[in-house]
Amino acid sequence: GAVVSQHPSRVICKSGTSVKIECRSLDFQATTMFWYRQFPKQSLMLMATSNEGSKATYEQGVEKDKFLINHASLTLSTLTVTSAHPEDSSFYICSARSASGDNRSQYFGPGTRLTVL
Amino acid sequence: LAKTTQPISMDSYEGQEVNITCSHNNIATNDYITWYQQFPSQGPRFIIQGYKTKVTNEVASLFIPADRKSSTLSLPRVSLSDTAVYYCLVGEGNNDMRFGAGTRLTVKP
């Protein structure tokens, strides 16, 4: 149980285009989902926290107009990287926290590798 | 938010027990301690979580002293496949989402 999926697993796009990454909790409902970015050899950096039905809360230094987050349902959150540039190339990881039971643990997706040419 | 400090890297050999300690001096009363494992190009995987004393599951043990200002993840009889980065997170609710630098464990044959 507690499986989180991400789609796509890998994406390559041209500079200036927008890319959407989906994060789904497959067997549980997630009131809260989190988006991270990870550069090579570095730790995960929290970008934003999204709650179902409300606006996401962004970490300091993360541009909310560039990284659009939509948490439309209890099982789906999307991250859209708008007007992507090569410096946005990174590994994007989402995680979800269950709406019931043990809410002290978060479950991570497998990550999405974004390469902007 | 309780900040965590871990060794940057550790080396071990197959079959040995590995103990990774995390310092969290300003841990709050409601904070839990959670450890994750991450392989390259994968999302972190939950290992173990605890509040105090000792917690054991099928893959690891977590030791937390009475003052809770540190915790030690113990991996028994490591194998090559345990080579990964290990993170400890401290917090409660939505306040434990920020990762520290982690410990890069290398298991050698």
Side-chain angles (χ1 to χ4, degrees):
Chain A
V3 176
V4 176
S5 71
Q6 283 185 239
H7 177 80
S9 58
R10 184 183 298 269
V11 57
I12 301 173
C13 69
K14 293 182 179 180
S15 184
T17 61
S18 294
V19 175
K20 179 184 285 188
I21 302 171
E22 292 185 349
C23 176
R24 293 182 185 273
S25 56
L26 298 184
D27 51 1
F28 67 99
Q29 293 185 325
T31 50
T32 306
M33 289 185 171
F34 307 88
W35 287 96
Y36 296 84
R37 180 168 51 181
Q38 186 175 34
F39 293 108
K41 303 294 185 183
Q42 295 186 23
S43 182
L44 287 78
M45 185 193 79
L46 180 65
M47 299 176 67
T49 301
S50 75
N51 293 293
E52 186 264 339
S54 62
K55 291 183 178 180
T57 301
Y58 291 81
E59 294 295 296
Q60 189 173 8
V62 178
E63 302 175 56
K64 60 181 180 181
D65 294 331
K66 180 171 183 61
F67 299 99
L68 302 178
I69 292 173
N70 183 13
H71 194 159
S73 75
L74 287 173
T75 59
L76 173 64
S77 176
T78 60
L79 168 68
T80 301
V81 183
T82 62
S83 186
H85 288 92
E87 58 266 29
D88 298 322
S89 297
S90 188
F91 192 52
Y92 291 85
I93 306 169
C94 73
S95 70
R97 172 157 277 164
S98 175
S100 62
D102 176 9
N103 68 347
R104 301 191 302 269
S105 297
Q106 53 173 334
Y107 304 97
F108 287 85
T112 297
R113 175 76 59 193
L114 170 63
T115 302
V116 184
L117 302 177
Chain B
L1 291 170
K3 181 180 178 181
T4 60
T5 303
Q6 301 173 234
I8 293 175
S9 64
M10 293 181 68
D11 289 343
S12 182
Y13 290 92
E14 283 190 290
Q16 289 188 334
E17 178 185 77
V18 171
N19 296 308
I20 305 174
T21 297
C22 180
S23 297
H24 28 81
N25 291 319
N26 57 340
I27 187 170
T29 302
N30 295 331
D31 287 345
Y32 280 77
I33 301 159
T34 310
W35 284 81
Y36 292 89
Q37 175 192 56
Q38 187 184 30
F39 297 112
S41 297
Q42 294 186 26
R45 182 178 75 99
F46 174 89
I47 301 175
I48 198 166
Q49 184 181 75
Y51 183 81
K52 61 180 180 180
T53 62
K54 176 184 175 181
V55 179
T56 297
N57 61 22
E58 63 276 10
V59 298
S61 294
L62 178 59
F63 299 92
I64 305 169
D67 65 4
R68 304 202 322 125
K69 293 182 182 300
S70 66
S71 60
T72 299
L73 173 71
S74 181
L75 304 173
R77 299 180 297 281
V78 293
S79 64
L80 296 177
S81 62
D82 292 316
T83 293
V85 180
Y86 293 82
Y87 296 96
C88 84
L89 272 69
V90 175
E92 186 273 332
N94 291 340
N95 295 322
D96 60 357
M97 301 297 106
R98 295 172 182 82
F99 284 73
T103 297
R104 187 172 299 275
L105 172 66
T106 302
V107 180
K108 303 175 182 178

